C-alpha cells in the first residue's frame, strides 16, 4: 500500500455507501504505521465523491479495499509493452496472460476486453512484483467505475491551494494527465468560467 493508489471496495467491505456507492473510486492518502494516528494495517482514503474515512488493508486479516490503479504512485513496468495498444512501458497495473507466453495488457486494454476473454490473467501491481490470479474476464461481473474520469463534474477538493482559480464554480474534467511525470495523477479541468488548468487527482495522495 502506498499513498496515491486508486482503490475501490474490496472483499470485506461492510461500510454501506461511505464511498458514495458501489463502483466509486478513492485515493489512499495516509498509511497506518507504528506510533501514528492510524492503526497498522489500515489506511485513510479520500473518495472522489468527497468523503474521507479509514479502512482495513490487512488489519485483523480483513481487506476493505481493492487496488484499481497503481499508476498515480509512479509504477512503471520497465521493458514490458502492452500487446493491445503498444504502450511501453506499461504504467500502473500490468495484466499478464497465463495462457499465452509473454502477453501483457495495460489496464485500459484489459478492461476493454482486448485478447481472449476466456484466458486467465495475473494482476501485477508493482514493477517486477508477483502476480495475483484474477481468473477469466468471461466469468466476471462488471461494475462501472465512478469518480475522476473524463466528463466528471468536479469542485475543489480537500488539498486545494489555487486561490480563486475556479471562480468558486463547478468544472468538467476533460482528461487525466501526468503530474510531475507521474501518470494519471492529475487532471485537466475546464471551469464554468471558461478557465482551464491542471490539478492533482492522487499525486502523493493529494
Amino acid at each position: 500500500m502506498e499513498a496515491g493508489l486508486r482503490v475501490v471496495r474490496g472483499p470485506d467491505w461492510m461500510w454501506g455507501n461511505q464511498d458514495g456507492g458501489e463502483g466509486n473510486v478513492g485515493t489512499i492518502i495516509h498509511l497506518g504505521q507504528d506510533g501514528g494516528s492510524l492503526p497498522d494495517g489500515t489506511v485513510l482514503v479520500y473518495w472522489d465523491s468527497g468523503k474521507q474515512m479509514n479502512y482495513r488493508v490487512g488489519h485483523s486479516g480483513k481487506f476493505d479495499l481493492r487496488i484499481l490503479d497503481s499508476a498515480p504512485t509512479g509504477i512503471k513496468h520497465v521493458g514490458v509493452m502492452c500487446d493491445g495498444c503498444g504502450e511501453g512501458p506499461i504504467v500502473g497495473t500490468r495484466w499478464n496472460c497465463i495462457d499465452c507466453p509473454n502477453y501483457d495488457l495495460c489496464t485500459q486494454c484489459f478492461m476493454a476486453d482486448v485478447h481472449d476473454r476466456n484466458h486467465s490473467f495475473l494482476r501485477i501491481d508493482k514493477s517486477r512484483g508477483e502476480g495475483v490470479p484474477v481468473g477469466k474476464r468471461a466469468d466476471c461481473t462488471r461494475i462501472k467505475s465512478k469518480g475522476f474520469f473524463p466528463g466528471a463534474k468536479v469542485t475543489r477538493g480537500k488539498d486545494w491551494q489555487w486561490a480563486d482559480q475556479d471562480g468558486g464554480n463547478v468544472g468538467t474534467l476533460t482528461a487525466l494527465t501526468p503530474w510531475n511525470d507521474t501518470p494519471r495523477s492529475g487532471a485537466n479541468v475546464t471551469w464554468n468560467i471558461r478557465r482551464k488548468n491542471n490539478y492533482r487527482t492522487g499525486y502523493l495522495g493529494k
Side-chain angles (χ1 to χ4, degrees):
M1 287 288 158
E2 298 179 59
L5 278 175
R6 302 282 282 151
V7 293
V8 292
R9 295 182 182 187
D12 296 312
W13 181 266
M14 53 180 286
W15 311 109
N17 284 335
Q18 269 184 9
D19 55 354
E22 191 166 15
N24 275 267
V25 182
T27 301
I28 291 178
I29 61 173
H30 190 67
L31 308 180
Q33 297 171 342
D34 288 337
S37 58
L38 296 178
D40 282 346
T42 66
V43 294
L44 185 62
V45 172
Y46 184 66
W47 297 103
D48 291 4
S49 56
K51 292 183 180 176
Q52 177 176 299
M53 300 294 288
N54 299 345
Y55 298 97
R56 302 166 297 178
V57 289
H59 185 74
S60 302
K62 299 294 184 181
F63 292 87
D64 293 321
L65 306 171
R66 288 187 195 278
I67 296 170
L68 178 77
D69 188 4
S70 57
T73 65
I75 295 296
K76 293 182 181 179
H77 301 272
V78 178
V80 182
M81 184 177 79
C82 176
D83 290 292
C85 67
E87 175 188 69
I90 290 176
V91 297
T93 305
R94 168 188 170 195
W95 304 86
N96 176 250
C97 182
I98 294 173
D99 299 306
C100 297
N102 196 29
Y103 191 94
D104 296 280
L105 295 175
C106 66
T107 292
Q108 286 81 354
C109 288
F110 180 81
M111 297 301 175
D113 286 340
V114 171
H115 197 53
D116 194 325
R117 293 184 69 231
N118 285 299
H119 283 195
S120 295
F121 276 78
L122 296 174
R123 189 192 73 230
I124 304 171
D125 296 315
K126 284 193 164 188
S127 181
R128 298 183 179 84
E130 291 188 17
V132 177
V134 296
K136 303 173 184 177
R137 288 171 292 176
D139 300 332
C140 289
T141 300
R142 291 182 175 264
I143 299 168
K144 185 175 182 179
S145 297
K146 303 169 201 168
F148 295 145
F149 297 102
K153 298 295 182 187
V154 296
T155 58
R156 298 180 184 187
K158 71 176 195 64
D159 295 310
W160 180 269
Q161 58 180 46
W162 315 110
D164 202 32
Q165 218 173 65
D166 59 350
N169 285 271
V170 173
T172 301
L173 193 156
T174 56
L176 291 175
T177 60
W179 187 280
N180 280 358
D181 296 322
T182 303
R184 294 197 294 277
S185 61
N188 185 265
V189 173
T190 301
W191 299 105
N192 288 355
I193 54 173
R194 298 187 181 177
R195 288 183 193 158
K196 295 181 181 178
N197 223 313
N198 293 328
Y199 302 93
R200 299 167 295 182
T201 57
Y203 178 74
L204 298 179
K206 303 293 186 182

